[in-house]
Amino acid sequence: MTEPRGGDLPSVAHPAYGRRRDVADVASVWLANNPSAMTLEGTNTWVLRAPGATGRVVVDPGPDDEEHLRRVGEEGPVELVLLTHGHHDHSAGLARFADLVGAPSAAIDPRWSSGEPLVDGAVLDVAGLRLEVLHTPGHTDDSACFLVQGGAGPVVLTGDTVLGRGTTVLTGSLRDYLTTLRGLARVPAGTRLLPGHGAELPDAAATARDYLAHRERRLDQVRAARARLGATATPVEVVAAVYPDLDPALSFAAEQSVRAQLAYLDEEG
């Protein structure tokens, strides 16, 4: 007998710690209690399965928090554990969680894969669903999104590539990230976006287009700042010019993104 889903349960609003929150007929989420300036309310651990299916796919076990991992694992049998990328707030609990549920793990980065690593375009038939792997570098070189079909409508899990609010830091190439966003802008209309942090969004393609427009505006600001400051301006100097009211807790993240933008401008010549 399967557990009740969706409308069979009382509505739970975001954010909610220690409770499963049903988001779509194929997706529910457990919010890890690790809020910070970088993780927003915390890391979203997604649980996927087709209606009526017994097995589950868990995406991003989150931090090494025994209580969180056990709650997720107690939902039912897990067929596969996936990572959107290897940052600590998504991956630190992976080894413990895989041991708890006795399931294989897979990611773009072989370090997180118990078997073959994921590759762009791969299709996973698991838990009654069809998951397409999208290699989406930019936030990190090993970032992946998962386009999920098998329910009432498609959903896409974006990890930190696109967030539920705000924008993401870039530790990889801006050129790659712009290509990633253009790809996400082509997912089917009405595809719901399930992020690694923050609440879900109704239209992944529209959100990707908004992200592209934001990146173009920010790039223009960085270009103008370097024109004023000179070609040898450092990321720290550019951050001070472009983000005058920046929360100090986000300085490192802003410097990472500006560094990627300066490298992109250098490529432009």
Side-chain angles (χ1 to χ4, degrees):
M1 180 177 179
T2 59
E3 294 179 346
R5 303 283 290 175
D8 297 326
L9 288 173
S11 175
V12 178
H14 173 84
Y17 299 110
R19 299 180 67 185
R20 187 185 81 201
R21 190 170 64 87
D22 292 305
V23 172
D25 62 337
V26 299
S28 58
V29 62
W30 290 86
L31 177 63
N33 193 1
N34 62 332
S36 73
M38 294 298 294
T39 62
L40 304 182
E41 295 85 7
T43 302
N44 290 327
T45 296
W46 291 98
V47 181
L48 309 174
R49 66 180 172 114
T54 300
R56 293 155 173 79
V57 180
V58 172
V59 181
D60 290 344
D64 190 9
D65 178 332
E66 186 75 10
E67 184 177 7
H68 175 73
L69 299 176
R70 286 190 177 277
R71 281 174 175 153
V72 177
E74 287 168 359
E75 279 217 42
V78 176
E79 297 181 16
L80 180 63
V81 186
L82 297 174
L83 276 188
T84 59
H85 65 296
H87 277 166
H88 186 267
D89 56 305
H90 296 255
S91 65
L94 174 64
R96 174 57 178 157
F97 184 74
D99 183 60
L100 279 172
V101 300
S105 60
I108 293 287
D109 189 332
R111 293 179 299 167
W112 305 109
S113 302
S114 57
E116 290 296 314
L118 300 174
V119 295
D120 183 55
V123 174
L124 310 174
D125 292 309
V126 61
L129 300 170
R130 181 184 187 272
L131 278 67
E132 182 181 354
V133 178
L134 309 176
H135 183 201
T136 52
H139 172 66
T140 61
D141 289 340
D142 69 330
S143 287
C145 295
F146 303 106
L147 181 61
V148 182
Q149 301 189 64
V155 300
V156 61
L157 280 74
T158 57
D160 288 6
T161 296
V162 177
L163 304 178
R165 60 181 171 85
T167 56
T168 196
V169 62
L170 300 182
T171 64
S173 158
L174 175 58
R175 187 173 300 279
D176 286 347
Y177 189 55
L178 295 175
T179 299
T180 283
L181 292 176
R182 293 183 189 110
L184 289 174
R186 293 192 294 270
V187 301
T191 299
R192 295 183 73 185
L193 188 153
L194 312 184
H197 303 282
E200 62 279 1
L201 297 171
D203 193 319
T207 302
R209 290 192 292 271
D210 288 344
Y211 261 53
L212 278 166
H214 168 80
R215 285 294 165 189
E216 292 295 340
R217 289 193 299 271
R218 188 66 78 194
L219 193 58
D220 285 344
Q221 291 174 328
V222 170
R223 187 183 288 111
R226 188 155 76 166
R228 293 194 306 272
L229 296 169
T232 60
T234 66
V236 172
E237 292 169 331
V238 174
V239 165
V242 174
Y243 304 87
D245 301 316
L246 183 68
D247 181 342
L250 298 175
S251 294
F252 176 75
E255 288 168 24
Q256 290 279 80
S257 289
V258 164
R259 189 171 287 108
Q261 290 172 91
L262 291 174
Y264 180 86
L265 292 175
D266 287 340
E267 292 170 10
E268 280 189 335

